[in-house]
Amino acid sequence: MSLETFSQLNWSIMTPEFLILGVIAILILMDLFMPKTLDRKILGWIGIAATFAALVSTASMIGGPVQSILHDTFRIDSFALAFKLLILVGGALVLFLAVSYEPKDGVERYQAEFYYLLMTAMLGAMVMTSSGDLITLFIGLELLSISSYILAGIRKFHGQSNESAMKYVVNGSISSAIVLFGMSYVYGLTGTTNLLEMASQLAALADSNHVYLLTLAFLMIVVGLAFKLAAAPFHMWAPDVYQGAATPVTAFLSVVSKIAGFVIVIRILLTVFGFAATKGQDSIPILYDMQNYLAVIAGATMIIGNVVALRQSDIKRMFAYSSIAHAGYLLVALTSLTTNMFQSIWFYLLAYLLMNLGAFAIIQVVTEKAGSTKIADFAGLYRRAPVLAVAMGILLVSLAGFPGTAGFIGKLNIFIGAFYAEPGHYVLASIMIATTVVSYFYYFSVMTQMFFRPAEDESKFNIPFGILVVLIIAVVGSVLLGVMPNIAFDFMQNNMDVIGDFFK
């Protein structure tokens, strides 16, 4: 490509990414030249401003045509915009948590790195949403993963943090290798890394040996990405990493990283394997042929996540298993492969983003004051901080899926999709209902501590501004989307043709 042609490309579609990238570079330079005595929180506020600017830039592209540059390696379509909005909102809220984080464990020595590594991970997730090529998908995935590994272990003098980072690196590296191995088979069969070109070539696959290799590639990619989603039985890293990481990092991994995981799963599985024939041109695509395997993973993830969460005494480990369970609910929507699958997954991720980040905001305040992450530290919270206790109660009820909350609407959409899919996934829908009931016990155990147990320490809480912002957005959003879910659905239906744009 000549320099003239290069300059004529429509780089404006990468404006959100350039904004984040530019600010990351500025933050690094500012950190380098700022006096050591100066508070680095100003860098966090600059990061928040940049994230909002990227959010506005992304929102301005909604309703526009599908655009791509660099031979379709980077594309802007409704799918990319919808999930990029979630990533940017989640990233902004996590940065609010980060600037309110008062570390007593060594993070203050690396506070600036804390902010721009969070933004680097967010940039990797944004690149993944707009990737139309295996190479850019993998680059985005590794940018997210490597930044997350460092963030998990940024508390260098904290034993649990070091252990969690080591486990995360080992598991993450293995999963990346498995995904890459699966991708190499698909590349070998098609001779291209472009997702749409792969789909068109695999649609006419007829050779039984090639079909066997493609099935093997499918299984390897699913297994590798299941690690990233913390789906059973590849979930064992999650509780240790969630417990050992700083609370804003745990919040980031539970929400933004999970959104990015589902982005790459949908991009690869639907584009590449959604049209890959198993027995010639008129046969059932391999993705539909392998639905039962996805259903087994979804069912196991829901059961293991919810049942093991019952036995946890640490709040962050409990939320780790809760996160595993919610990954299972989302996998039910993916397994169903209905026409409203995109809508169901997007809405559930939006609801989960609000519920989980709000809960982690309160967890951050309580655990910082208590000096530990035990569920027992929430005892008597209603007497010490009624606002925090009521907000946590609303968010826990939403996570449990009670009517009138965003969590209920999200679960209802997925359940209806599973029930009316062709063929209907009745067993999966039944498991979803049963495990949702199981989740009431561990969510309500936290509420029991807050409202019905005496407090050992009667001192009041000081709620930082960043925490307050996150709580207001999370609680109002969870209730509003539960009472008026059409706000989100109408936005998706009127502004985004996700299915139509996905294969253009």
mmCIF file with all atom_site columns, all heavy atoms in Angstrom, residues 4 16 48 58 63 78 82 86 102 104 108 119 208 223 266 345 357 382 387 400 440 462 467-468 474 477 484:
data_model
loop_
_atom_site.group_PDB
_atom_site.id
_atom_site.type_symbol
_atom_site.label_atom_id
_atom_site.label_alt_id
_atom_site.label_comp_id
_atom_site.label_asym_id
_atom_site.label_entity_id
_atom_site.label_seq_id
_atom_site.pdbx_PDB_ins_code
_atom_site.Cartn_x
_atom_site.Cartn_y
_atom_site.Cartn_z
_atom_site.occupancy
_atom_site.B_iso_or_equiv
_atom_site.pdbx_formal_charge
_atom_site.auth_seq_id
_atom_site.auth_comp_id
_atom_site.auth_asym_id
_atom_site.auth_atom_id
_atom_site.pdbx_PDB_model_num
ATOM 1   N N   . GLU A 1 4   ? 0.343   7.457   -0.291 1.00 0.00 ? 4   GLU A N   1
ATOM 2   C CA  . GLU A 1 4   ? -0.812  8.254   -0.719 1.00 0.00 ? 4   GLU A CA  1
ATOM 3   C C   . GLU A 1 4   ? -2.117  7.514   -0.447 1.00 0.00 ? 4   GLU A C   1
ATOM 4   O O   . GLU A 1 4   ? -3.076  8.080   0.077  1.00 0.00 ? 4   GLU A O   1
ATOM 5   C CB  . GLU A 1 4   ? -0.685  8.585   -2.209 1.00 0.00 ? 4   GLU A CB  1
ATOM 6   C CG  . GLU A 1 4   ? -1.777  9.517   -2.708 1.00 0.00 ? 4   GLU A CG  1
ATOM 7   C CD  . GLU A 1 4   ? -1.636  9.832   -4.198 1.00 0.00 ? 4   GLU A CD  1
ATOM 8   O OE1 . GLU A 1 4   ? -0.617  9.436   -4.798 1.00 0.00 ? 4   GLU A OE1 1
ATOM 9   O OE2 . GLU A 1 4   ? -2.552  10.462  -4.740 1.00 0.00 ? 4   GLU A OE2 1
ATOM 10  N N   . PRO A 1 16  ? -12.480 6.815   18.210 1.00 0.00 ? 16  PRO A N   1
ATOM 11  C CA  . PRO A 1 16  ? -12.503 6.428   19.628 1.00 0.00 ? 16  PRO A CA  1
ATOM 12  C C   . PRO A 1 16  ? -11.206 5.740   20.064 1.00 0.00 ? 16  PRO A C   1
ATOM 13  O O   . PRO A 1 16  ? -10.682 6.020   21.149 1.00 0.00 ? 16  PRO A O   1
ATOM 14  C CB  . PRO A 1 16  ? -13.697 5.466   19.720 1.00 0.00 ? 16  PRO A CB  1
ATOM 15  C CG  . PRO A 1 16  ? -14.566 5.824   18.565 1.00 0.00 ? 16  PRO A CG  1
ATOM 16  C CD  . PRO A 1 16  ? -13.634 6.243   17.475 1.00 0.00 ? 16  PRO A CD  1
ATOM 17  N N   . ILE A 1 48  ? -10.745 9.366   32.588 1.00 0.00 ? 48  ILE A N   1
ATOM 18  C CA  . ILE A 1 48  ? -12.216 9.373   32.577 1.00 0.00 ? 48  ILE A CA  1
ATOM 19  C C   . ILE A 1 48  ? -12.734 10.326  31.499 1.00 0.00 ? 48  ILE A C   1
ATOM 20  O O   . ILE A 1 48  ? -13.658 9.988   30.739 1.00 0.00 ? 48  ILE A O   1
ATOM 21  C CB  . ILE A 1 48  ? -12.765 9.763   33.966 1.00 0.00 ? 48  ILE A CB  1
ATOM 22  C CG1 . ILE A 1 48  ? -12.501 8.639   34.969 1.00 0.00 ? 48  ILE A CG1 1
ATOM 23  C CG2 . ILE A 1 48  ? -14.259 10.075  33.896 1.00 0.00 ? 48  ILE A CG2 1
ATOM 24  C CD1 . ILE A 1 48  ? -12.779 9.020   36.412 1.00 0.00 ? 48  ILE A CD1 1
ATOM 25  N N   . THR A 1 58  ? -18.123 7.442   19.602 1.00 0.00 ? 58  THR A N   1
ATOM 26  C CA  . THR A 1 58  ? -18.752 6.170   19.201 1.00 0.00 ? 58  THR A CA  1
ATOM 27  C C   . THR A 1 58  ? -20.250 6.361   18.972 1.00 0.00 ? 58  THR A C   1
ATOM 28  O O   . THR A 1 58  ? -20.808 5.871   17.981 1.00 0.00 ? 58  THR A O   1
ATOM 29  C CB  . THR A 1 58  ? -18.524 5.100   20.283 1.00 0.00 ? 58  THR A CB  1
ATOM 30  O OG1 . THR A 1 58  ? -17.115 4.929   20.492 1.00 0.00 ? 58  THR A OG1 1
ATOM 31  C CG2 . THR A 1 58  ? -19.122 3.764   19.874 1.00 0.00 ? 58  THR A CG2 1
ATOM 32  N N   . GLY A 1 63  ? -26.122 4.538   13.497 1.00 0.00 ? 63  GLY A N   1
ATOM 33  C CA  . GLY A 1 63  ? -27.041 4.809   12.386 1.00 0.00 ? 63  GLY A CA  1
ATOM 34  C C   . GLY A 1 63  ? -26.355 5.002   11.053 1.00 0.00 ? 63  GLY A C   1
ATOM 35  O O   . GLY A 1 63  ? -27.025 5.104   10.021 1.00 0.00 ? 63  GLY A O   1
ATOM 36  N N   . SER A 1 78  ? -22.976 -2.228  13.266 1.00 0.00 ? 78  SER A N   1
ATOM 37  C CA  . SER A 1 78  ? -23.845 -2.077  14.445 1.00 0.00 ? 78  SER A CA  1
ATOM 38  C C   . SER A 1 78  ? -23.376 -2.935  15.614 1.00 0.00 ? 78  SER A C   1
ATOM 39  O O   . SER A 1 78  ? -23.472 -2.529  16.776 1.00 0.00 ? 78  SER A O   1
ATOM 40  C CB  . SER A 1 78  ? -25.292 -2.438  14.081 1.00 0.00 ? 78  SER A CB  1
ATOM 41  O OG  . SER A 1 78  ? -25.810 -1.511  13.158 1.00 0.00 ? 78  SER A OG  1
ATOM 42  N N   . ALA A 1 82  ? -22.472 -1.302  19.195 1.00 0.00 ? 82  ALA A N   1
ATOM 43  C CA  . ALA A 1 82  ? -23.273 -1.699  20.361 1.00 0.00 ? 82  ALA A CA  1
ATOM 44  C C   . ALA A 1 82  ? -22.391 -2.172  21.507 1.00 0.00 ? 82  ALA A C   1
ATOM 45  O O   . ALA A 1 82  ? -22.551 -1.750  22.663 1.00 0.00 ? 82  ALA A O   1
ATOM 46  C CB  . ALA A 1 82  ? -24.262 -2.798  19.959 1.00 0.00 ? 82  ALA A CB  1
ATOM 47  N N   . LEU A 1 86  ? -20.858 -0.496  25.439 1.00 0.00 ? 86  LEU A N   1
ATOM 48  C CA  . LEU A 1 86  ? -20.809 -1.194  26.727 1.00 0.00 ? 86  LEU A CA  1
ATOM 49  C C   . LEU A 1 86  ? -19.410 -1.145  27.327 1.00 0.00 ? 86  LEU A C   1
ATOM 50  O O   . LEU A 1 86  ? -19.235 -0.888  28.521 1.00 0.00 ? 86  LEU A O   1
ATOM 51  C CB  . LEU A 1 86  ? -21.239 -2.656  26.566 1.00 0.00 ? 86  LEU A CB  1
ATOM 52  C CG  . LEU A 1 86  ? -22.690 -2.954  26.204 1.00 0.00 ? 86  LEU A CG  1
ATOM 53  C CD1 . LEU A 1 86  ? -22.927 -4.452  26.147 1.00 0.00 ? 86  LEU A CD1 1
ATOM 54  C CD2 . LEU A 1 86  ? -23.647 -2.310  27.200 1.00 0.00 ? 86  LEU A CD2 1
ATOM 55  N N   . GLU A 1 102 ? -8.366  3.742   47.709 1.00 0.00 ? 102 GLU A N   1
ATOM 56  C CA  . GLU A 1 102 ? -7.359  4.234   48.664 1.00 0.00 ? 102 GLU A CA  1
ATOM 57  C C   . GLU A 1 102 ? -6.511  3.047   49.113 1.00 0.00 ? 102 GLU A C   1
ATOM 58  O O   . GLU A 1 102 ? -6.808  2.386   50.102 1.00 0.00 ? 102 GLU A O   1
ATOM 59  C CB  . GLU A 1 102 ? -8.050  4.880   49.875 1.00 0.00 ? 102 GLU A CB  1
ATOM 60  C CG  . GLU A 1 102 ? -8.900  6.084   49.555 1.00 0.00 ? 102 GLU A CG  1
ATOM 61  C CD  . GLU A 1 102 ? -8.069  7.273   49.075 1.00 0.00 ? 102 GLU A CD  1
ATOM 62  O OE1 . GLU A 1 102 ? -6.838  7.261   49.293 1.00 0.00 ? 102 GLU A OE1 1
ATOM 63  O OE2 . GLU A 1 102 ? -8.661  8.201   48.481 1.00 0.00 ? 102 GLU A OE2 1
ATOM 64  N N   . LYS A 1 104 ? -3.700  0.535   50.577 1.00 0.00 ? 104 LYS A N   1
ATOM 65  C CA  . LYS A 1 104 ? -2.778  0.454   51.705 1.00 0.00 ? 104 LYS A CA  1
ATOM 66  C C   . LYS A 1 104 ? -1.842  -0.742  51.507 1.00 0.00 ? 104 LYS A C   1
ATOM 67  O O   . LYS A 1 104 ? -1.323  -1.308  52.462 1.00 0.00 ? 104 LYS A O   1
ATOM 68  C CB  . LYS A 1 104 ? -3.561  0.269   53.004 1.00 0.00 ? 104 LYS A CB  1
ATOM 69  C CG  . LYS A 1 104 ? -4.571  1.379   53.293 1.00 0.00 ? 104 LYS A CG  1
ATOM 70  C CD  . LYS A 1 104 ? -5.318  1.112   54.580 1.00 0.00 ? 104 LYS A CD  1
ATOM 71  C CE  . LYS A 1 104 ? -6.364  2.171   54.863 1.00 0.00 ? 104 LYS A CE  1
ATOM 72  N NZ  . LYS A 1 104 ? -7.481  2.161   53.931 1.00 0.00 ? 104 LYS A NZ  1
ATOM 73  N N   . GLU A 1 108 ? -0.202  2.331   45.644 1.00 0.00 ? 108 GLU A N   1
ATOM 74  C CA  . GLU A 1 108 ? 0.090   3.753   45.521 1.00 0.00 ? 108 GLU A CA  1
ATOM 75  C C   . GLU A 1 108 ? 1.432   4.017   44.834 1.00 0.00 ? 108 GLU A C   1
ATOM 76  O O   . GLU A 1 108 ? 1.651   5.080   44.264 1.00 0.00 ? 108 GLU A O   1
ATOM 77  C CB  . GLU A 1 108 ? 0.057   4.438   46.907 1.00 0.00 ? 108 GLU A CB  1
ATOM 78  C CG  . GLU A 1 108 ? 1.141   3.985   47.875 1.00 0.00 ? 108 GLU A CG  1
ATOM 79  C CD  . GLU A 1 108 ? 0.739   2.749   48.681 1.00 0.00 ? 108 GLU A CD  1
ATOM 80  O OE1 . GLU A 1 108 ? -0.259  2.106   48.323 1.00 0.00 ? 108 GLU A OE1 1
ATOM 81  O OE2 . GLU A 1 108 ? 1.420   2.437   49.652 1.00 0.00 ? 108 GLU A OE2 1
ATOM 82  N N   . MET A 1 119 ? -6.778  1.525   30.874 1.00 0.00 ? 119 MET A N   1
ATOM 83  C CA  . MET A 1 119 ? -7.168  2.077   29.574 1.00 0.00 ? 119 MET A CA  1
ATOM 84  C C   . MET A 1 119 ? -6.598  1.255   28.416 1.00 0.00 ? 119 MET A C   1
ATOM 85  O O   . MET A 1 119 ? -7.240  1.103   27.375 1.00 0.00 ? 119 MET A O   1
ATOM 86  C CB  . MET A 1 119 ? -6.719  3.527   29.467 1.00 0.00 ? 119 MET A CB  1
ATOM 87  C CG  . MET A 1 119 ? -7.423  4.456   30.444 1.00 0.00 ? 119 MET A CG  1
ATOM 88  S SD  . MET A 1 119 ? -7.042  6.188   30.160 1.00 0.00 ? 119 MET A SD  1
ATOM 89  C CE  . MET A 1 119 ? -7.885  6.476   28.610 1.00 0.00 ? 119 MET A CE  1
ATOM 90  N N   . SER A 1 208 ? -14.564 -34.710 3.619  1.00 0.00 ? 208 SER A N   1
ATOM 91  C CA  . SER A 1 208 ? -14.790 -35.182 4.992  1.00 0.00 ? 208 SER A CA  1
ATOM 92  C C   . SER A 1 208 ? -13.575 -34.952 5.887  1.00 0.00 ? 208 SER A C   1
ATOM 93  O O   . SER A 1 208 ? -13.715 -34.692 7.086  1.00 0.00 ? 208 SER A O   1
ATOM 94  C CB  . SER A 1 208 ? -15.150 -36.664 4.981  1.00 0.00 ? 208 SER A CB  1
ATOM 95  O OG  . SER A 1 208 ? -14.105 -37.422 4.396  1.00 0.00 ? 208 SER A OG  1
ATOM 96  N N   . VAL A 1 223 ? -12.895 -24.222 23.506 1.00 0.00 ? 223 VAL A N   1
ATOM 97  C CA  . VAL A 1 223 ? -12.205 -24.517 24.771 1.00 0.00 ? 223 VAL A CA  1
ATOM 98  C C   . VAL A 1 223 ? -11.328 -23.330 25.192 1.00 0.00 ? 223 VAL A C   1
ATOM 99  O O   . VAL A 1 223 ? -11.347 -22.899 26.345 1.00 0.00 ? 223 VAL A O   1
ATOM 100 C CB  . VAL A 1 223 ? -11.355 -25.804 24.648 1.00 0.00 ? 223 VAL A CB  1
ATOM 101 C CG1 . VAL A 1 223 ? -10.400 -25.941 25.828 1.00 0.00 ? 223 VAL A CG1 1
ATOM 102 C CG2 . VAL A 1 223 ? -12.249 -27.031 24.572 1.00 0.00 ? 223 VAL A CG2 1
ATOM 103 N N   . ILE A 1 266 ? -18.706 -14.431 19.711 1.00 0.00 ? 266 ILE A N   1
ATOM 104 C CA  . ILE A 1 266 ? -19.751 -14.202 18.708 1.00 0.00 ? 266 ILE A CA  1
ATOM 105 C C   . ILE A 1 266 ? -19.146 -13.955 17.337 1.00 0.00 ? 266 ILE A C   1
ATOM 106 O O   . ILE A 1 266 ? -19.598 -14.511 16.330 1.00 0.00 ? 266 ILE A O   1
ATOM 107 C CB  . ILE A 1 266 ? -20.657 -13.025 19.132 1.00 0.00 ? 266 ILE A CB  1
ATOM 108 C CG1 . ILE A 1 266 ? -21.442 -13.381 20.399 1.00 0.00 ? 266 ILE A CG1 1
ATOM 109 C CG2 . ILE A 1 266 ? -21.627 -12.668 18.015 1.00 0.00 ? 266 ILE A CG2 1
ATOM 110 C CD1 . ILE A 1 266 ? -22.154 -12.209 21.038 1.00 0.00 ? 266 ILE A CD1 1
ATOM 111 N N   . ILE A 1 345 ? -28.255 -10.925 24.495 1.00 0.00 ? 345 ILE A N   1
ATOM 112 C CA  . ILE A 1 345 ? -26.901 -10.877 25.057 1.00 0.00 ? 345 ILE A CA  1
ATOM 113 C C   . ILE A 1 345 ? -26.511 -9.442  25.390 1.00 0.00 ? 345 ILE A C   1
ATOM 114 O O   . ILE A 1 345 ? -25.962 -9.169  26.467 1.00 0.00 ? 345 ILE A O   1
ATOM 115 C CB  . ILE A 1 345 ? -25.885 -11.520 24.085 1.00 0.00 ? 345 ILE A CB  1
ATOM 116 C CG1 . ILE A 1 345 ? -26.129 -13.036 23.998 1.00 0.00 ? 345 ILE A CG1 1
ATOM 117 C CG2 . ILE A 1 345 ? -24.446 -11.249 24.529 1.00 0.00 ? 345 ILE A CG2 1
ATOM 118 C CD1 . ILE A 1 345 ? -25.252 -13.753 22.993 1.00 0.00 ? 345 ILE A CD1 1
ATOM 119 N N   . LEU A 1 357 ? -20.893 -3.643  38.712 1.00 0.00 ? 357 LEU A N   1
ATOM 120 C CA  . LEU A 1 357 ? -20.021 -2.525  39.050 1.00 0.00 ? 357 LEU A CA  1
ATOM 121 C C   . LEU A 1 357 ? -20.563 -1.762  40.260 1.00 0.00 ? 357 LEU A C   1
ATOM 122 O O   . LEU A 1 357 ? -19.786 -1.278  41.095 1.00 0.00 ? 357 LEU A O   1
ATOM 123 C CB  . LEU A 1 357 ? -19.853 -1.589  37.850 1.00 0.00 ? 357 LEU A CB  1
ATOM 124 C CG  . LEU A 1 357 ? -19.017 -2.149  36.702 1.00 0.00 ? 357 LEU A CG  1
ATOM 125 C CD1 . LEU A 1 357 ? -18.859 -1.120  35.586 1.00 0.00 ? 357 LEU A CD1 1
ATOM 126 C CD2 . LEU A 1 357 ? -17.641 -2.606  37.174 1.00 0.00 ? 357 LEU A CD2 1
ATOM 127 N N   . TYR A 1 382 ? -26.471 -1.749  57.460 1.00 0.00 ? 382 TYR A N   1
ATOM 128 C CA  . TYR A 1 382 ? -27.651 -0.876  57.410 1.00 0.00 ? 382 TYR A CA  1
ATOM 129 C C   . TYR A 1 382 ? -27.611 0.172   58.522 1.00 0.00 ? 382 TYR A C   1
ATOM 130 O O   . TYR A 1 382 ? -28.038 1.313   58.332 1.00 0.00 ? 382 TYR A O   1
ATOM 131 C CB  . TYR A 1 382 ? -28.930 -1.710  57.521 1.00 0.00 ? 382 TYR A CB  1
ATOM 132 C CG  . TYR A 1 382 ? -30.195 -0.883  57.458 1.00 0.00 ? 382 TYR A CG  1
ATOM 133 C CD1 . TYR A 1 382 ? -30.563 -0.225  56.286 1.00 0.00 ? 382 TYR A CD1 1
ATOM 134 C CD2 . TYR A 1 382 ? -31.005 -0.737  58.583 1.00 0.00 ? 382 TYR A CD2 1
ATOM 135 C CE1 . TYR A 1 382 ? -31.710 0.549   56.233 1.00 0.00 ? 382 TYR A CE1 1
ATOM 136 C CE2 . TYR A 1 382 ? -32.160 0.029   58.536 1.00 0.00 ? 382 TYR A CE2 1
ATOM 137 C CZ  . TYR A 1 382 ? -32.505 0.677   57.362 1.00 0.00 ? 382 TYR A CZ  1
ATOM 138 O OH  . TYR A 1 382 ? -33.633 1.448   57.304 1.00 0.00 ? 382 TYR A OH  1
ATOM 139 N N   . VAL A 1 387 ? -27.635 4.112   53.245 1.00 0.00 ? 387 VAL A N   1
ATOM 140 C CA  . VAL A 1 387 ? -27.656 4.307   51.789 1.00 0.00 ? 387 VAL A CA  1
ATOM 141 C C   . VAL A 1 387 ? -26.915 3.180   51.082 1.00 0.00 ? 387 VAL A C   1
ATOM 142 O O   . VAL A 1 387 ? -27.394 2.620   50.088 1.00 0.00 ? 387 VAL A O   1
ATOM 143 C CB  . VAL A 1 387 ? -27.037 5.681   51.415 1.00 0.00 ? 387 VAL A CB  1
ATOM 144 C CG1 . VAL A 1 387 ? -26.901 5.813   49.902 1.00 0.00 ? 387 VAL A CG1 1
ATOM 145 C CG2 . VAL A 1 387 ? -27.898 6.813   51.955 1.00 0.00 ? 387 VAL A CG2 1
ATOM 146 N N   . ALA A 1 400 ? -30.001 -11.400 41.441 1.00 0.00 ? 400 ALA A N   1
ATOM 147 C CA  . ALA A 1 400 ? -30.764 -12.640 41.660 1.00 0.00 ? 400 ALA A CA  1
ATOM 148 C C   . ALA A 1 400 ? -31.880 -12.812 40.631 1.00 0.00 ? 400 ALA A C   1
ATOM 149 O O   . ALA A 1 400 ? -32.359 -13.922 40.409 1.00 0.00 ? 400 ALA A O   1
ATOM 150 C CB  . ALA A 1 400 ? -31.360 -12.631 43.065 1.00 0.00 ? 400 ALA A CB  1
ATOM 151 N N   . TYR A 1 440 ? -30.450 -17.271 44.923 1.00 0.00 ? 440 TYR A N   1
ATOM 152 C CA  . TYR A 1 440 ? -31.091 -16.455 45.961 1.00 0.00 ? 440 TYR A CA  1
ATOM 153 C C   . TYR A 1 440 ? -30.424 -16.666 47.317 1.00 0.00 ? 440 TYR A C   1
ATOM 154 O O   . TYR A 1 440 ? -30.308 -15.735 48.113 1.00 0.00 ? 440 TYR A O   1
ATOM 155 C CB  . TYR A 1 440 ? -32.586 -16.799 46.086 1.00 0.00 ? 440 TYR A CB  1
ATOM 156 C CG  . TYR A 1 440 ? -33.426 -16.504 44.873 1.00 0.00 ? 440 TYR A CG  1
ATOM 157 C CD1 . TYR A 1 440 ? -34.711 -17.040 44.741 1.00 0.00 ? 440 TYR A CD1 1
ATOM 158 C CD2 . TYR A 1 440 ? -32.958 -15.680 43.847 1.00 0.00 ? 440 TYR A CD2 1
ATOM 159 C CE1 . TYR A 1 440 ? -35.504 -16.770 43.635 1.00 0.00 ? 440 TYR A CE1 1
ATOM 160 C CE2 . TYR A 1 440 ? -33.733 -15.419 42.731 1.00 0.00 ? 440 TYR A CE2 1
ATOM 161 C CZ  . TYR A 1 440 ? -35.003 -15.967 42.629 1.00 0.00 ? 440 TYR A CZ  1
ATOM 162 O OH  . TYR A 1 440 ? -35.785 -15.715 41.534 1.00 0.00 ? 440 TYR A OH  1
ATOM 163 N N   . ASN A 1 462 ? -17.184 6.987   54.900 1.00 0.00 ? 462 ASN A N   1
ATOM 164 C CA  . ASN A 1 462 ? -17.005 8.154   54.046 1.00 0.00 ? 462 ASN A CA  1
ATOM 165 C C   . ASN A 1 462 ? -17.087 7.672   52.594 1.00 0.00 ? 462 ASN A C   1
ATOM 166 O O   . ASN A 1 462 ? -16.261 6.874   52.148 1.00 0.00 ? 462 ASN A O   1
ATOM 167 C CB  . ASN A 1 462 ? -15.651 8.812   54.324 1.00 0.00 ? 462 ASN A CB  1
ATOM 168 C CG  . ASN A 1 462 ? -15.401 9.999   53.412 1.00 0.00 ? 462 ASN A CG  1
ATOM 169 O OD1 . ASN A 1 462 ? -16.334 10.709  53.052 1.00 0.00 ? 462 ASN A OD1 1
ATOM 170 N ND2 . ASN A 1 462 ? -14.146 10.200  53.027 1.00 0.00 ? 462 ASN A ND2 1
ATOM 171 N N   . ILE A 1 467 ? -17.203 6.752   43.875 1.00 0.00 ? 467 ILE A N   1
ATOM 172 C CA  . ILE A 1 467 ? -18.093 5.658   44.297 1.00 0.00 ? 467 ILE A CA  1
ATOM 173 C C   . ILE A 1 467 ? -19.549 6.093   44.193 1.00 0.00 ? 467 ILE A C   1
ATOM 174 O O   . ILE A 1 467 ? -20.420 5.339   43.741 1.00 0.00 ? 467 ILE A O   1
ATOM 175 C CB  . ILE A 1 467 ? -17.764 5.226   45.745 1.00 0.00 ? 467 ILE A CB  1
ATOM 176 C CG1 . ILE A 1 467 ? -16.337 4.681   45.849 1.00 0.00 ? 467 ILE A CG1 1
ATOM 177 C CG2 . ILE A 1 467 ? -18.779 4.206   46.252 1.00 0.00 ? 467 ILE A CG2 1
ATOM 178 C CD1 . ILE A 1 467 ? -16.105 3.360   45.176 1.00 0.00 ? 467 ILE A CD1 1
ATOM 179 N N   . LEU A 1 468 ? -19.818 7.325   44.610 1.00 0.00 ? 468 LEU A N   1
ATOM 180 C CA  . LEU A 1 468 ? -21.191 7.859   44.561 1.00 0.00 ? 468 LEU A CA  1
ATOM 181 C C   . LEU A 1 468 ? -21.711 7.907   43.130 1.00 0.00 ? 468 LEU A C   1
ATOM 182 O O   . LEU A 1 468 ? -22.873 7.542   42.862 1.00 0.00 ? 468 LEU A O   1
ATOM 183 C CB  . LEU A 1 468 ? -21.205 9.260   45.183 1.00 0.00 ? 468 LEU A CB  1
ATOM 184 C CG  . LEU A 1 468 ? -22.555 9.813   45.635 1.00 0.00 ? 468 LEU A CG  1
ATOM 185 C CD1 . LEU A 1 468 ? -23.187 8.919   46.682 1.00 0.00 ? 468 LEU A CD1 1
ATOM 186 C CD2 . LEU A 1 468 ? -22.389 11.230  46.160 1.00 0.00 ? 468 LEU A CD2 1
ATOM 187 N N   . ALA A 1 474 ? -25.550 2.935   38.642 1.00 0.00 ? 474 ALA A N   1
ATOM 188 C CA  . ALA A 1 474 ? -25.860 1.498   38.718 1.00 0.00 ? 474 ALA A CA  1
ATOM 189 C C   . ALA A 1 474 ? -27.269 1.244   39.252 1.00 0.00 ? 474 ALA A C   1
ATOM 190 O O   . ALA A 1 474 ? -28.034 0.463   38.674 1.00 0.00 ? 474 ALA A O   1
ATOM 191 C CB  . ALA A 1 474 ? -24.821 0.800   39.597 1.00 0.00 ? 474 ALA A CB  1
ATOM 192 N N   . GLY A 1 477 ? -29.983 2.794   36.879 1.00 0.00 ? 477 GLY A N   1
ATOM 193 C CA  . GLY A 1 477 ? -30.021 2.000   35.651 1.00 0.00 ? 477 GLY A CA  1
ATOM 194 C C   . GLY A 1 477 ? -30.665 0.639   35.853 1.00 0.00 ? 477 GLY A C   1
ATOM 195 O O   . GLY A 1 477 ? -31.478 0.189   35.030 1.00 0.00 ? 477 GLY A O   1
ATOM 196 N N   . MET A 1 484 ? -38.723 -0.131  32.768 1.00 0.00 ? 484 MET A N   1
ATOM 197 C CA  . MET A 1 484 ? -38.933 0.304   31.377 1.00 0.00 ? 484 MET A CA  1
ATOM 198 C C   . MET A 1 484 ? -37.836 -0.266  30.467 1.00 0.00 ? 484 MET A C   1
ATOM 199 O O   . MET A 1 484 ? -36.984 0.483   29.965 1.00 0.00 ? 484 MET A O   1
ATOM 200 C CB  . MET A 1 484 ? -38.952 1.834   31.303 1.00 0.00 ? 484 MET A CB  1
ATOM 201 C CG  . MET A 1 484 ? -40.118 2.466   32.032 1.00 0.00 ? 484 MET A CG  1
ATOM 202 S SD  . MET A 1 484 ? -40.227 4.270   31.739 1.00 0.00 ? 484 MET A SD  1
ATOM 203 C CE  . MET A 1 484 ? -38.787 4.850   32.612 1.00 0.00 ? 484 MET A CE  1
#
